[in-house]
Amino acid sequence: MRIEKRIAGVRAFVQAARREGKSVGLVPTMGALHEGHEALMRRSCGDNDATVVSVFVNPTQFGPQEDFAAYPRDLEQDLRRAQRLGVELVFAPDVAEMYPEGASTTVTVAGVSEGLCGHFRPGHFTGVATVVAKLLSIVQPDRAYFGEKDYQQLQVIRRMVTDLAMPVHIVPVPTVRGADGLAMSSRNAYLSPAERRAAPRLYQALQQGAKVAVGGGTGGAAVAAARAVLDAEPLIRVQYLVAVDPQTLQDKSERGRPLVLAAAVYLGKTRLIDNITINGETK
């Protein structure tokens, strides 16, 4: 497996792959790879002749009071995981390579970036869209892979790719969960033992809300059912819990499925997000 820290090296690798007629997949990550990332890499390695994984903790998507400095980093472990799964190249640039002195261009995706996490993390999705646009420009993959756990991020990237006519297929990959239902996340490592035991209540709450929506309830009724589960867990503090349209992310409190129930909660200082999609028409 090849490891590159320079953009020029990645481009040379991709150009050589193209000359051999190979398809190329991209899995953008911030490292601290876990089973969720492995699902993305497996999918890419299965779909493409060559897979590039980026490992870059992107500073522009962190707010001033957020955990950029403390975000978990373990490049050696990440490289072992990637190599074991058949990844051909890992791109692990430093900040100066991705944002050279004087860099001033950003990408803002209006609409889908403004509610949910975007409301509480101003500038976050501008940072996400900008770094993903750069990675897509550097690698120019046939396909790029993103997890459905970060549902709003997925919709922001889809909108950006459509609006800017980028020649790449965005492939969503279902959320990977532990046996107790907790979505895999690098931030799970921050949880204390008590918080880790309480964390599965987030997905249990979303499942309870989904039952109401499947039974014909409105988004508002689904949110109320989910909120009752979360409010029963004293360690969980809800930041938001909403029912939204799967494509536009607009409010669907007054209507039924299809919809997405999405939530962000705090356990201590750790912020976790999750979502569940309820398809079909209300009967």
Side-chain angles (χ1 to χ4, degrees):
M1 186 180 70
R2 185 164 164 179
I3 303 162
E4 287 288 349
K5 293 186 175 294
R6 299 293 184 184
I7 291 170
V10 177
R11 286 182 165 155
F13 169 85
V14 173
Q15 288 167 4
R18 295 297 188 197
R19 285 195 296 269
E20 296 176 10
K22 291 182 177 180
S23 58
V24 177
L26 170 66
V27 180
T29 83
M30 291 207 301
L33 302 183
H34 49 66
E35 289 89 341
H37 297 110
E38 288 192 1
L40 301 175
M41 292 187 283
R42 284 194 191 94
R43 179 68 185 273
S44 181
C45 290
D47 290 349
N48 304 282
D49 300 314
T51 289
V52 176
V53 171
S54 62
V55 175
F56 178 64
V57 183
N58 176 37
T60 67
Q61 67 190 71
F62 289 80
Q65 306 303 318
E66 295 184 338
D67 58 346
F68 173 70
Y71 194 84
R73 296 164 169 85
D74 189 346
L75 182 59
E76 291 305 313
Q77 176 65 24
D78 293 344
L79 295 175
R80 286 193 290 271
R81 280 185 184 261
Q83 186 167 28
R84 187 175 72 246
L85 293 172
V87 169
E88 280 77 14
L89 183 144
V90 170
F91 178 40
D94 60 22
V95 173
E97 182 72 3
M98 292 298 286
Y99 298 105
E101 186 176 356
S104 59
T105 300
T106 59
V107 179
T108 298
V109 182
V112 292
S113 70
E114 293 165 6
L116 287 79
C117 291
H119 176 76
F120 294 97
R121 303 181 70 188
H124 169 69
F125 286 114
T126 293
V128 169
T130 300
V131 76
V132 172
K134 290 173 76 76
L135 290 168
L136 293 175
S137 175
I138 292 164
V139 179
Q140 298 187 13
D142 298 281
R143 303 171 188 87
Y145 297 79
F146 296 87
E148 292 180 349
K149 180 182 77 71
D150 298 290
Y151 192 86
Q152 187 175 19
Q153 172 180 276
L154 175 63
Q155 294 308 108
V156 166
I157 292 164
R158 281 171 159 167
R159 184 77 264 163
M160 176 186 74
V161 164
T162 298
D163 289 352
L164 299 182
M166 294 179 171
V168 59
H169 177 55
I170 301 301
V171 181
V173 177
T175 302
V176 176
R177 302 182 181 278
D180 57 7
L182 180 64
M184 295 293 176
S185 170
S186 300
R187 289 187 169 92
N188 292 350
Y190 298 158
L191 298 170
S192 71
E195 291 164 352
R196 178 61 184 81
R197 289 192 294 272
R201 298 293 284 173
L202 173 55
Y203 186 54
Q204 292 166 15
L206 295 176
Q207 288 178 306
Q208 190 63 36
K211 289 180 182 178
V212 171
V214 168
T218 64
V223 166
R227 185 65 190 245
V229 175
L230 293 176
D231 287 346
E233 174 48 67
L235 291 181
I236 290 179
R237 176 167 59 88
V238 178
Q239 185 177 64
Y240 71 76
L241 172 60
V242 295
V244 295
D245 180 270
Q247 278 72 50
T248 67
L249 304 188
Q250 294 299 301
D251 179 74
K252 287 204 74 175
S253 295
E254 302 302 320
R255 300 182 63 190
R257 53 184 172 146
L259 57 83
V260 172
L261 281 179
V265 304
Y266 279 93
L267 288 100
K269 295 181 179 180
T270 304
R271 183 178 185 272
L272 301 179
I273 62 171
D274 204 349
N275 65 83
I276 193 167
T277 300
I278 304 101
N279 291 311
E281 297 300 326
T282 301
K283 296 181 179 178

